């Protein structure tokens, strides 16, 4: 039977693996088995009493013997899912004993047949020790085969002694062949049906466990993706806060220090610097308020983040001239050069890519103001097409020397790299020869018809 089980697993891929064990029922389900078996036993006693009332005296087993046999067949069902193999063996022994002439009417009763069927089915469906199950099932089927063979020879004995049960049968099959053949077919359907339904239940339980496991895995992955999305959103917000606040506050500090130094010598220049401080502070407040408005929208569950009244649109490369003016007000003159492979290409960029270019430009220029002695810088915007697709590039260079004691946290440079990585870009940041600094970022556009059009 063990080889038969292995063969079944090779031939029927839907069966669970041989080492898989079905999860035990809950304590509530086990208690329900006890009450169900007791109720079924009461029904069997009632059915047996009805059978006795319809049978002539002497042609059926006595009431105590019949009730004892029914108890042996049905009461083990109380523990059918706790010890399925043991209960099947007890039921099989009771069924074989009931097959004798004295108790045949009891074993053929509907409740007795159904009780033994449930015992066989439960053993196949719930046995955790599959090797023990098929060994015990092999013993049961072997005993049943021996019983059928004995029945076959008994029919020959009936024929030899002239004690056949039916005189002048209507069928064309001899009685000594019909009786064992009929018994054989009934037993094949009986035992085969119990084994088939048990395997089906066992396989369905395995499929359910796989589905539950996959559902749990999907739920865990969904939570992981949600947590990752939250972390990415936090990083984005951190970058935005760094770009908005750190830049403006840093420029406020620089201009305030310059205004304090030039105020005795050049009051008009000091006034211009104070105006720059005022402009930077207003810009910081406005952009911070806009960013906080986005956060309030998201916390309120409103997906449309562009419908808030009073919220300014995200900056883009179209506002690059204003960025240059702001830097000029803070003492850094920036020259702009544009080299587009197609007219007005930068104005047609997607909002996300345009925002990334703007933020990278602002961070690169802010680094020049904070960490370099240069008072001039060059901002170059380029675009083109190569074998990998369309690209846009931004480069900020200066000729200054590093300013001492101005080391930053590195968060701005990391923000540049992260923004470029979102658009499959590459970043080069480092000193120039003989002096100066360069920040260069090349970003990739999604595959569009731009290559075909060009």
């Amino acid at each position: 039977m063990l080889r038969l089980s292995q063969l079944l697993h090779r031939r029927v891929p839907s069966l669970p693996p041989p080492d898989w064990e079905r999860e035990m029922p809950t304590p509530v389900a086990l208690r329900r088995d006890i009450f169900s078996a007791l109720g079924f036993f009461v029904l069997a006693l009632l059915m047996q009493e009805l059978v006795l009332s319809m049978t002539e005296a002497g042609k059926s087993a006595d009431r105590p013997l019949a009730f004892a046999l029914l108890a042996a067949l049905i009461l083990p069902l109380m523990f059918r899912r706790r010890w399925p193999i043991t209960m099947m063996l007890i039921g099989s022994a009771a069924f074989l004993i009931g097959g004798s002439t004295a108790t045949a009417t009891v074993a053929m009763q509907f409740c007795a047949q159904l009780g033994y069927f449930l015992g066989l089915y439960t053993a196949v469906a719930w046995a955790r020790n599959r090797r023990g199950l098929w060994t015990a099932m092999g013993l049961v089927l072997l005993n049943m085969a021996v019983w059928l063979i004995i029945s076959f020879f008994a029919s020959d004995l009936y024929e030899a002694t002239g004690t056949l049960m039916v005189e002048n049968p209507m069928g064309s099959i001899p009685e000594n062949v019909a009786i064992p053949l009929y018994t054989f077919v009934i037993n094949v359907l009986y035992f085969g049906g119990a084994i088939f339904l048990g395997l089906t239940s066992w396989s369905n339980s395995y499929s359910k466990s796989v589905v539950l496991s996959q559902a749990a895995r999907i739920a865990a992955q969904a939570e992981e993706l949600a947590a990752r999305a939250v972390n990415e959103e936090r990083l984005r917000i951190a970058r935005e806060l760094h770009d908005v606040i750190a830049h403006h506050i840093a420029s406020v500090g620089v201009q305030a220090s310059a205004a304090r130094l030039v105020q005795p010598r050049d009051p008009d220049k000091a006034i211009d610097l104070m105006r720059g401080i005022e402009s930077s502070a207003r810009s910081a407040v406005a952009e911070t308020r806009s960013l906080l408005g986005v956060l309030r929208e998201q916390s309120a569950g409103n997906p449309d983040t562009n419908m808030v009244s009073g919220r300014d649109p995200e900056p883009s490369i179209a506002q690059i001239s204003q960025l240059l003016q702001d830097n000029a007000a803070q003492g850094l003159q920036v020259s702009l050069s544009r080299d587009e492979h197609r007219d007005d290409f930068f104005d047609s960029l997607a909002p996300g890519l345009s925002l990334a270019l703007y933020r990278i430009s602002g961070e690169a220029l802010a680094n020049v103001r904070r960490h370099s002695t240069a008072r001039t810088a060059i901002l170059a915007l380029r675009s083109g097409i190569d074998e990998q697709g369309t690209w846009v590039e931004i480069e900020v260079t200066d000729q200054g020397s590093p300013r001492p004691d101005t080391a930053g946290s590195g968060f701005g440079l990391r923000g540049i790299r992260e923004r470029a990585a979102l658009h499959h870009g590459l970043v080069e940041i480092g000193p120039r020869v003989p002096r100066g600094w360069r920040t260069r970022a090349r970003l990739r556009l999604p595959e569009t018809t731009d290559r075909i059009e060009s």
Side-chain angles (χ1 to χ4, degrees), residues 91-121:
S92 298
F95 192 79
L96 286 173
I97 294 172
S100 62
T101 305
T103 55
T105 56
V106 180
M108 296 304 293
Q109 190 207 122
F110 173 76
C111 289
Q113 293 279 329
L114 180 58
Y116 185 43
F117 186 89
L118 288 176
L120 293 171
Y121 159 79

PDB file of all heavy atoms in Angstrom, residues 91-121:
ATOM      1  N   GLY A  91     -13.810  -0.386  13.931  1.00  0.00           N
ATOM      2  CA  GLY A  91     -15.005  -0.511  13.114  1.00  0.00           C
ATOM      3  C   GLY A  91     -14.905  -1.670  12.130  1.00  0.00           C
ATOM      4  O   GLY A  91     -15.895  -2.371  11.872  1.00  0.00           O
ATOM      5  N   SER A  92     -13.700  -1.885  11.552  1.00  0.00           N
ATOM      6  CA  SER A  92     -13.531  -2.995  10.608  1.00  0.00           C
ATOM      7  C   SER A  92     -13.718  -4.337  11.308  1.00  0.00           C
ATOM      8  O   SER A  92     -14.354  -5.259  10.762  1.00  0.00           O
ATOM      9  CB  SER A  92     -12.137  -2.918   9.972  1.00  0.00           C
ATOM     10  OG  SER A  92     -11.986  -1.714   9.238  1.00  0.00           O
ATOM     11  N   ALA A  93     -13.152  -4.467  12.517  1.00  0.00           N
ATOM     12  CA  ALA A  93     -13.330  -5.720  13.258  1.00  0.00           C
ATOM     13  C   ALA A  93     -14.803  -5.962  13.566  1.00  0.00           C
ATOM     14  O   ALA A  93     -15.322  -7.077  13.405  1.00  0.00           O
ATOM     15  CB  ALA A  93     -12.501  -5.677  14.540  1.00  0.00           C
ATOM     16  N   ALA A  94     -15.502  -4.914  13.995  1.00  0.00           N
ATOM     17  CA  ALA A  94     -16.929  -5.064  14.290  1.00  0.00           C
ATOM     18  C   ALA A  94     -17.720  -5.402  13.029  1.00  0.00           C
ATOM     19  O   ALA A  94     -18.663  -6.206  13.068  1.00  0.00           O
ATOM     20  CB  ALA A  94     -17.456  -3.777  14.927  1.00  0.00           C
ATOM     21  N   PHE A  95     -17.326  -4.817  11.892  1.00  0.00           N
ATOM     22  CA  PHE A  95     -18.045  -5.082  10.647  1.00  0.00           C
ATOM     23  C   PHE A  95     -17.831  -6.517  10.192  1.00  0.00           C
ATOM     24  O   PHE A  95     -18.753  -7.180   9.689  1.00  0.00           O
ATOM     25  CB  PHE A  95     -17.582  -4.099   9.570  1.00  0.00           C
ATOM     26  CG  PHE A  95     -18.441  -4.080   8.351  1.00  0.00           C
ATOM     27  CD1 PHE A  95     -19.649  -3.404   8.338  1.00  0.00           C
ATOM     28  CD2 PHE A  95     -18.065  -4.757   7.192  1.00  0.00           C
ATOM     29  CE1 PHE A  95     -20.452  -3.382   7.211  1.00  0.00           C
ATOM     30  CE2 PHE A  95     -18.850  -4.746   6.063  1.00  0.00           C
ATOM     31  CZ  PHE A  95     -20.048  -4.052   6.076  1.00  0.00           C
ATOM     32  N   LEU A  96     -16.621  -7.056  10.356  1.00  0.00           N
ATOM     33  CA  LEU A  96     -16.355  -8.435   9.977  1.00  0.00           C
ATOM     34  C   LEU A  96     -17.123  -9.410  10.870  1.00  0.00           C
ATOM     35  O   LEU A  96     -17.674 -10.416  10.406  1.00  0.00           O
ATOM     36  CB  LEU A  96     -14.854  -8.722  10.059  1.00  0.00           C
ATOM     37  CG  LEU A  96     -13.985  -8.114   8.939  1.00  0.00           C
ATOM     38  CD1 LEU A  96     -12.507  -8.333   9.238  1.00  0.00           C
ATOM     39  CD2 LEU A  96     -14.350  -8.694   7.586  1.00  0.00           C
ATOM     40  N   ILE A  97     -17.155  -9.094  12.168  1.00  0.00           N
ATOM     41  CA  ILE A  97     -17.925  -9.945  13.083  1.00  0.00           C
ATOM     42  C   ILE A  97     -19.409  -9.900  12.718  1.00  0.00           C
ATOM     43  O   ILE A  97     -20.117 -10.910  12.738  1.00  0.00           O
ATOM     44  CB  ILE A  97     -17.698  -9.510  14.534  1.00  0.00           C
ATOM     45  CG1 ILE A  97     -16.232  -9.758  14.927  1.00  0.00           C
ATOM     46  CG2 ILE A  97     -18.633 -10.251  15.489  1.00  0.00           C
ATOM     47  CD1 ILE A  97     -15.866  -9.186  16.281  1.00  0.00           C
ATOM     48  N   GLY A  98     -19.879  -8.721  12.366  1.00  0.00           N
ATOM     49  CA  GLY A  98     -21.287  -8.576  12.010  1.00  0.00           C
ATOM     50  C   GLY A  98     -21.654  -9.237  10.704  1.00  0.00           C
ATOM     51  O   GLY A  98     -22.839  -9.374  10.379  1.00  0.00           O
ATOM     52  N   GLY A  99     -20.646  -9.666   9.922  1.00  0.00           N
ATOM     53  CA  GLY A  99     -20.941 -10.310   8.662  1.00  0.00           C
ATOM     54  C   GLY A  99     -21.321 -11.777   8.799  1.00  0.00           C
ATOM     55  O   GLY A  99     -21.670 -12.410   7.801  1.00  0.00           O
ATOM     56  N   SER A 100     -21.261 -12.304  10.021  1.00  0.00           N
ATOM     57  CA  SER A 100     -21.663 -13.698  10.213  1.00  0.00           C
ATOM     58  C   SER A 100     -23.170 -13.840  10.042  1.00  0.00           C
ATOM     59  O   SER A 100     -23.922 -12.860  10.024  1.00  0.00           O
ATOM     60  CB  SER A 100     -21.233 -14.171  11.606  1.00  0.00           C
ATOM     61  OG  SER A 100     -21.883 -13.407  12.611  1.00  0.00           O
ATOM     62  N   THR A 101     -23.614 -15.091   9.948  1.00  0.00           N
ATOM     63  CA  THR A 101     -25.039 -15.344   9.689  1.00  0.00           C
ATOM     64  C   THR A 101     -25.916 -14.828  10.810  1.00  0.00           C
ATOM     65  O   THR A 101     -27.001 -14.269  10.563  1.00  0.00           O
ATOM     66  CB  THR A 101     -25.265 -16.858   9.503  1.00  0.00           C
ATOM     67  OG1 THR A 101     -24.398 -17.322   8.458  1.00  0.00           O
ATOM     68  CG2 THR A 101     -26.709 -17.144   9.140  1.00  0.00           C
ATOM     69  N   ALA A 102     -25.438 -14.932  12.053  1.00  0.00           N
ATOM     70  CA  ALA A 102     -26.277 -14.569  13.194  1.00  0.00           C
ATOM     71  C   ALA A 102     -26.547 -13.078  13.255  1.00  0.00           C
ATOM     72  O   ALA A 102     -27.604 -12.644  13.731  1.00  0.00           O
ATOM     73  CB  ALA A 102     -25.623 -15.044  14.499  1.00  0.00           C
ATOM     74  N   THR A 103     -25.599 -12.288  12.793  1.00  0.00           N
ATOM     75  CA  THR A 103     -25.747 -10.823  12.914  1.00  0.00           C
ATOM     76  C   THR A 103     -25.749 -10.131  11.553  1.00  0.00           C
ATOM     77  O   THR A 103     -25.514  -8.922  11.483  1.00  0.00           O
ATOM     78  CB  THR A 103     -24.601 -10.258  13.772  1.00  0.00           C
ATOM     79  OG1 THR A 103     -23.346 -10.665  13.192  1.00  0.00           O
ATOM     80  CG2 THR A 103     -24.687 -10.774  15.203  1.00  0.00           C
ATOM     81  N   ALA A 104     -26.002 -10.859  10.495  1.00  0.00           N
ATOM     82  CA  ALA A 104     -25.950 -10.259   9.162  1.00  0.00           C
ATOM     83  C   ALA A 104     -26.979  -9.151   8.997  1.00  0.00           C
ATOM     84  O   ALA A 104     -26.717  -8.129   8.362  1.00  0.00           O
ATOM     85  CB  ALA A 104     -26.150 -11.338   8.097  1.00  0.00           C
ATOM     86  N   THR A 105     -28.160  -9.341   9.572  1.00  0.00           N
ATOM     87  CA  THR A 105     -29.188  -8.309   9.429  1.00  0.00           C
ATOM     88  C   THR A 105     -28.793  -7.020  10.130  1.00  0.00           C
ATOM     89  O   THR A 105     -29.196  -5.927   9.715  1.00  0.00           O
ATOM     90  CB  THR A 105     -30.511  -8.816  10.006  1.00  0.00           C
ATOM     91  OG1 THR A 105     -30.308  -9.208  11.382  1.00  0.00           O
ATOM     92  CG2 THR A 105     -31.035 -10.006   9.218  1.00  0.00           C
ATOM     93  N   VAL A 106     -28.001  -7.116  11.196  1.00  0.00           N
ATOM     94  CA  VAL A 106     -27.542  -5.904  11.891  1.00  0.00           C
ATOM     95  C   VAL A 106     -26.496  -5.181  11.056  1.00  0.00           C
ATOM     96  O   VAL A 106     -26.533  -3.958  10.887  1.00  0.00           O
ATOM     97  CB  VAL A 106     -26.983  -6.263  13.279  1.00  0.00           C
ATOM     98  CG1 VAL A 106     -26.515  -4.999  14.000  1.00  0.00           C
ATOM     99  CG2 VAL A 106     -28.025  -6.988  14.102  1.00  0.00           C
ATOM    100  N   ALA A 107     -25.519  -5.935  10.514  1.00  0.00           N
ATOM    101  CA  ALA A 107     -24.459  -5.310   9.719  1.00  0.00           C
ATOM    102  C   ALA A 107     -24.994  -4.689   8.433  1.00  0.00           C
ATOM    103  O   ALA A 107     -24.395  -3.735   7.913  1.00  0.00           O
ATOM    104  CB  ALA A 107     -23.388  -6.353   9.392  1.00  0.00           C
ATOM    105  N   MET A 108     -26.108  -5.227   7.923  1.00  0.00           N
ATOM    106  CA  MET A 108     -26.666  -4.690   6.690  1.00  0.00           C
ATOM    107  C   MET A 108     -27.597  -3.511   6.934  1.00  0.00           C
ATOM    108  O   MET A 108     -28.090  -2.925   5.983  1.00  0.00           O
ATOM    109  CB  MET A 108     -27.425  -5.789   5.933  1.00  0.00           C
ATOM    110  CG  MET A 108     -26.544  -6.944   5.467  1.00  0.00           C
ATOM    111  SD  MET A 108     -25.165  -6.396   4.442  1.00  0.00           S
ATOM    112  CE  MET A 108     -26.057  -5.828   3.000  1.00  0.00           C
ATOM    113  N   GLN A 109     -27.826  -3.182   8.201  1.00  0.00           N
ATOM    114  CA  GLN A 109     -28.692  -2.044   8.493  1.00  0.00           C
ATOM    115  C   GLN A 109     -28.062  -0.754   7.981  1.00  0.00           C
ATOM    116  O   GLN A 109     -26.823  -0.602   7.957  1.00  0.00           O
ATOM    117  CB  GLN A 109     -28.940  -1.936  10.001  1.00  0.00           C
ATOM    118  CG  GLN A 109     -30.028  -0.917  10.362  1.00  0.00           C
ATOM    119  CD  GLN A 109     -29.839  -0.347  11.753  1.00  0.00           C
ATOM    120  OE1 GLN A 109     -29.720   0.844  11.924  1.00  0.00           O
ATOM    121  NE2 GLN A 109     -29.800  -1.212  12.751  1.00  0.00           N
ATOM    122  N   PHE A 110     -28.884   0.180   7.595  1.00  0.00           N
ATOM    123  CA  PHE A 110     -28.385   1.431   6.993  1.00  0.00           C
ATOM    124  C   PHE A 110     -27.437   2.169   7.929  1.00  0.00           C
ATOM    125  O   PHE A 110     -26.361   2.625   7.512  1.00  0.00           O
ATOM    126  CB  PHE A 110     -29.574   2.321   6.610  1.00  0.00           C
ATOM    127  CG  PHE A 110     -29.154   3.689   6.148  1.00  0.00           C
ATOM    128  CD1 PHE A 110     -28.623   3.879   4.881  1.00  0.00           C
ATOM    129  CD2 PHE A 110     -29.269   4.792   6.991  1.00  0.00           C
ATOM    130  CE1 PHE A 110     -28.226   5.139   4.459  1.00  0.00           C
ATOM    131  CE2 PHE A 110     -28.874   6.045   6.571  1.00  0.00           C
ATOM    132  CZ  PHE A 110     -28.358   6.219   5.297  1.00  0.00           C
ATOM    133  N   CYS A 111     -27.792   2.315   9.185  1.00  0.00           N
ATOM    134  CA  CYS A 111     -26.949   3.079  10.116  1.00  0.00           C
ATOM    135  C   CYS A 111     -25.609   2.395  10.333  1.00  0.00           C
ATOM    136  O   CYS A 111     -24.573   3.056  10.461  1.00  0.00           O
ATOM    137  CB  CYS A 111     -27.678   3.257  11.448  1.00  0.00           C
ATOM    138  SG  CYS A 111     -29.080   4.392  11.359  1.00  0.00           S
ATOM    139  N   ALA A 112     -25.604   1.057  10.384  1.00  0.00           N
ATOM    140  CA  ALA A 112     -24.347   0.339  10.545  1.00  0.00           C
ATOM    141  C   ALA A 112     -23.458   0.523   9.327  1.00  0.00           C
ATOM    142  O   ALA A 112     -22.236   0.766   9.437  1.00  0.00           O
ATOM    143  CB  ALA A 112     -24.618  -1.133  10.791  1.00  0.00           C
ATOM    144  N   GLN A 113     -24.033   0.423   8.144  1.00  0.00           N
ATOM    145  CA  GLN A 113     -23.266   0.624   6.914  1.00  0.00           C
ATOM    146  C   GLN A 113     -22.707   2.049   6.840  1.00  0.00           C
ATOM    147  O   GLN A 113     -21.543   2.256   6.490  1.00  0.00           O
ATOM    148  CB  GLN A 113     -24.162   0.339   5.706  1.00  0.00           C
ATOM    149  CG  GLN A 113     -24.596  -1.108   5.551  1.00  0.00           C
ATOM    150  CD  GLN A 113     -23.526  -1.959   4.897  1.00  0.00           C
ATOM    151  OE1 GLN A 113     -22.750  -1.473   4.069  1.00  0.00           O
ATOM    152  NE2 GLN A 113     -23.479  -3.226   5.259  1.00  0.00           N
ATOM    153  N   LEU A 114     -23.550   3.005   7.173  1.00  0.00           N
ATOM    154  CA  LEU A 114     -23.110   4.399   7.117  1.00  0.00           C
ATOM    155  C   LEU A 114     -22.034   4.680   8.160  1.00  0.00           C
ATOM    156  O   LEU A 114     -21.069   5.422   7.899  1.00  0.00           O
ATOM    157  CB  LEU A 114     -24.305   5.335   7.320  1.00  0.00           C
ATOM    158  CG  LEU A 114     -24.010   6.842   7.277  1.00  0.00           C
ATOM    159  CD1 LEU A 114     -23.376   7.226   5.935  1.00  0.00           C
ATOM    160  CD2 LEU A 114     -25.282   7.645   7.520  1.00  0.00           C
ATOM    161  N   GLY A 115     -22.177   4.102   9.351  1.00  0.00           N
ATOM    162  CA  GLY A 115     -21.181   4.322  10.395  1.00  0.00           C
ATOM    163  C   GLY A 115     -19.812   3.802   9.993  1.00  0.00           C
ATOM    164  O   GLY A 115     -18.786   4.481  10.192  1.00  0.00           O
ATOM    165  N   TYR A 116     -19.764   2.585   9.408  1.00  0.00           N
ATOM    166  CA  TYR A 116     -18.484   2.049   8.979  1.00  0.00           C
ATOM    167  C   TYR A 116     -17.915   2.850   7.807  1.00  0.00           C
ATOM    168  O   TYR A 116     -16.697   3.074   7.722  1.00  0.00           O
ATOM    169  CB  TYR A 116     -18.655   0.581   8.594  1.00  0.00           C
ATOM    170  CG  TYR A 116     -17.350  -0.102   8.237  1.00  0.00           C
ATOM    171  CD1 TYR A 116     -16.204   0.110   9.008  1.00  0.00           C
ATOM    172  CD2 TYR A 116     -17.265  -0.944   7.134  1.00  0.00           C
ATOM    173  CE1 TYR A 116     -15.011  -0.510   8.680  1.00  0.00           C
ATOM    174  CE2 TYR A 116     -16.074  -1.565   6.801  1.00  0.00           C
ATOM    175  CZ  TYR A 116     -14.943  -1.340   7.574  1.00  0.00           C
ATOM    176  OH  TYR A 116     -13.758  -1.951   7.256  1.00  0.00           O
ATOM    177  N   PHE A 117     -18.786   3.303   6.920  1.00  0.00           N
ATOM    178  CA  PHE A 117     -18.335   4.147   5.799  1.00  0.00           C
ATOM    179  C   PHE A 117     -17.677   5.424   6.324  1.00  0.00           C
ATOM    180  O   PHE A 117     -16.630   5.843   5.834  1.00  0.00           O
ATOM    181  CB  PHE A 117     -19.522   4.475   4.895  1.00  0.00           C
ATOM    182  CG  PHE A 117     -19.151   5.223   3.649  1.00  0.00           C
ATOM    183  CD1 PHE A 117     -18.809   4.550   2.489  1.00  0.00           C
ATOM    184  CD2 PHE A 117     -19.138   6.613   3.630  1.00  0.00           C
ATOM    185  CE1 PHE A 117     -18.471   5.238   1.331  1.00  0.00           C
ATOM    186  CE2 PHE A 117     -18.798   7.310   2.494  1.00  0.00           C
ATOM    187  CZ  PHE A 117     -18.458   6.626   1.330  1.00  0.00           C
ATOM    188  N   LEU A 118     -18.294   6.041   7.335  1.00  0.00           N
ATOM    189  CA  LEU A 118     -17.708   7.253   7.915  1.00  0.00           C
ATOM    190  C   LEU A 118     -16.361   6.966   8.560  1.00  0.00           C
ATOM    191  O   LEU A 118     -15.450   7.797   8.520  1.00  0.00           O
ATOM    192  CB  LEU A 118     -18.672   7.857   8.941  1.00  0.00           C
ATOM    193  CG  LEU A 118     -19.930   8.517   8.381  1.00  0.00           C
ATOM    194  CD1 LEU A 118     -20.839   8.982   9.517  1.00  0.00           C
ATOM    195  CD2 LEU A 118     -19.569   9.707   7.500  1.00  0.00           C
ATOM    196  N   GLY A 119     -16.232   5.777   9.178  1.00  0.00           N
ATOM    197  CA  GLY A 119     -14.948   5.420   9.770  1.00  0.00           C
ATOM    198  C   GLY A 119     -13.854   5.294   8.728  1.00  0.00           C
ATOM    199  O   GLY A 119     -12.728   5.793   8.917  1.00  0.00           O
ATOM    200  N   LEU A 120     -14.146   4.633   7.604  1.00  0.00           N
ATOM    201  CA  LEU A 120     -13.166   4.514   6.525  1.00  0.00           C
ATOM    202  C   LEU A 120     -12.826   5.881   5.928  1.00  0.00           C
ATOM    203  O   LEU A 120     -11.650   6.222   5.712  1.00  0.00           O
ATOM    204  CB  LEU A 120     -13.714   3.591   5.434  1.00  0.00           C
ATOM    205  CG  LEU A 120     -13.901   2.117   5.803  1.00  0.00           C
ATOM    206  CD1 LEU A 120     -14.647   1.407   4.677  1.00  0.00           C
ATOM    207  CD2 LEU A 120     -12.567   1.448   6.065  1.00  0.00           C
ATOM    208  N   TYR A 121     -13.848   6.660   5.661  1.00  0.00           N
ATOM    209  CA  TYR A 121     -13.646   7.989   5.067  1.00  0.00           C
ATOM    210  C   TYR A 121     -12.796   8.872   5.977  1.00  0.00           C
ATOM    211  O   TYR A 121     -11.859   9.543   5.520  1.00  0.00           O
ATOM    212  CB  TYR A 121     -15.007   8.638   4.804  1.00  0.00           C
ATOM    213  CG  TYR A 121     -14.956  10.144   4.678  1.00  0.00           C
ATOM    214  CD1 TYR A 121     -14.542  10.747   3.497  1.00  0.00           C
ATOM    215  CD2 TYR A 121     -15.313  10.963   5.747  1.00  0.00           C
ATOM    216  CE1 TYR A 121     -14.480  12.129   3.379  1.00  0.00           C
ATOM    217  CE2 TYR A 121     -15.265  12.333   5.644  1.00  0.00           C
ATOM    218  CZ  TYR A 121     -14.845  12.916   4.469  1.00  0.00           C
ATOM    219  OH  TYR A 121     -14.789  14.275   4.366  1.00  0.00           O
TER     220      TYR A 121
END
